[in-house]
Amino acid sequence: MKKRVLKISLVVVLFMVYAATLFANEKNGPQGSTNAFAKYYGQVIPSSVKGAQDALLFIDFEVQDGKIPEALVSLGYTVKVATDWYDFSSKLNSGSYGLAVGFNQNDPWGSWKPGLLSALTNYIAGGGAVVFNDWQSDNDFAILFQASFMGNENQTIMNLDPSIETNLPNPITLVKHSWTVFSTGLTTTGGAEVLATFANGDAAIVRGNVGKTIILGYLTDTPPAANRQQLFENLFEAVAPSVPLTNWALGFGLLLMVTFLVVRFRRSIF
């Protein structure tokens, strides 16, 4: 009898380990679907206008194009796209970036998690600006952004704070597409603030670290296609605002141009 109970217990334990392994290796996106972001891996995407610094970007998977490179280029960034999380961490450790953007939307956290945690911790501690998400609701990451996951998933209605609603409908309705988990409720910790809320009251967007970081409670391609680029432009500006030229700087630039033209004109005469 004892042997039979022991065998049954062993079978149950093995089944639980197997099930846990399956869950750990489960992906969030649809099996066999094309990664809409893969075409950008390893690229350097220049801007038509000079940005203050480069932006570092990695997205592990998108079902549809989230318009992130377009948003960054529109704001003047030259975008360096990592090839995977190892590459993202390495570049973040060794480069000088005005903005780091990373979205974990499909894969379970793997052996690269400690390196990424370390790279983000150091970058944020140094005053770096980051926009990030994690479909797995891992609070090891959320704590870096002065946030915590609530455990509530797949909310659809997102109400925006007036500070980020420029040129956008408000509220925004998120679309699931074929994701298993497409939104994850958040709450603030420390001195963070909420920039958007879901209908159930959970935070959808949290800005922390004295305004330098944002963690999202939704995936990049879930807002309506027509609003994705503008929404991300507003969010990137919320952590790393553009520095407009002052009137003095404009005037000084105009003076230099006039001086150059006068000198050229005088030389052509004499």
Side-chain angles (χ1 to χ4, degrees):
M1 182 67 179
K2 289 183 178 180
K3 289 183 178 180
R4 185 176 181 183
V5 171
L6 182 61
K7 288 181 179 180
I8 292 174
S9 299
L10 182 60
V11 169
V12 170
V13 169
L14 289 173
F15 175 78
M16 290 177 66
V17 170
Y18 176 70
T21 303
L22 286 178
F23 179 78
N25 292 319
E26 187 175 295
K27 293 181 180 291
N28 188 35
Q31 291 187 359
S33 62
T34 301
N35 182 358
F37 191 77
K39 60 187 177 185
Y40 296 112
Y41 289 156
Q43 289 192 24
V44 176
I45 307 170
S47 174
S48 59
V49 293
K50 185 177 180 180
Q53 298 182 77
D54 292 336
L56 177 63
L57 171 64
F58 180 69
I59 307 173
D60 69 335
F61 198 93
E62 286 184 323
V63 175
Q64 296 186 5
D65 192 340
K67 299 296 181 182
I68 312 300
E70 291 87 344
L72 289 165
V73 167
S74 177
L75 293 174
Y77 288 99
T78 291
V79 185
K80 294 184 179 179
V81 185
T83 55
D84 55 29
W85 285 117
Y86 292 110
D87 187 41
F88 182 89
S89 300
S90 176
K91 283 182 166 59
L92 195 60
N93 284 327
S94 60
S96 177
Y97 299 96
L99 178 62
V101 181
F103 298 122
N104 179 44
Q105 308 197 139
N106 186 53
D107 293 329
W109 290 117
S111 59
W112 33 266
K113 175 184 171 180
L116 179 59
L117 274 170
S118 176
L120 285 172
T121 299
N122 293 333
Y123 182 73
I124 292 171
V130 186
V131 179
F132 186 81
N133 76 6
D134 173 30
W135 77 276
Q136 289 195 111
S137 300
D138 190 328
N139 279 318
D140 288 345
F141 287 95
I143 194 172
L144 299 180
F145 297 83
Q146 296 186 326
S148 179
F149 288 102
M150 298 292 288
N152 301 316
E153 298 175 347
N154 295 347
Q155 291 286 304
T156 56
I157 305 300
M158 184 169 68
N159 296 283
L160 305 178
D161 183 84
S163 65
I164 60 167
E165 70 173 0
T166 302
N167 298 324
L168 291 170
N170 196 7
I172 280 180
T173 301
L174 303 178
V175 180
K176 178 179 181 179
H177 302 306
S178 48
W179 296 108
T180 301
V181 175
F182 65 93
S183 70
T184 48
L186 294 157
T187 188
T188 59
T189 62
E193 60 183 321
V194 175
L195 293 185
T197 57
F198 289 123
N200 71 342
D202 285 357
I205 302 173
V206 171
R207 179 167 61 181
N209 295 289
V210 199
K212 296 294 290 182
T213 65
I214 279 178
I215 185 168
L216 307 179
Y218 62 91
L219 305 188
T220 57
D221 57 4
T222 56
N227 305 130
R228 290 171 194 161
Q229 180 173 334
Q230 185 63 63
L231 176 56
F232 278 105
E233 286 187 28
N234 294 355
L235 293 175
F236 297 148
E237 284 286 274
V239 294
S242 302
V243 180
L245 289 174
T246 64
N247 290 335
W248 181 90
L250 289 170
F252 182 71
L254 181 60
L255 177 62
L256 289 177
M257 291 178 61
V258 170
T259 302
F260 174 77
L261 290 173
V262 168
V263 171
R264 288 293 300 271
F265 179 72
R266 286 174 62 84
R267 285 181 177 176
S268 63
I269 293 177
F270 299 104

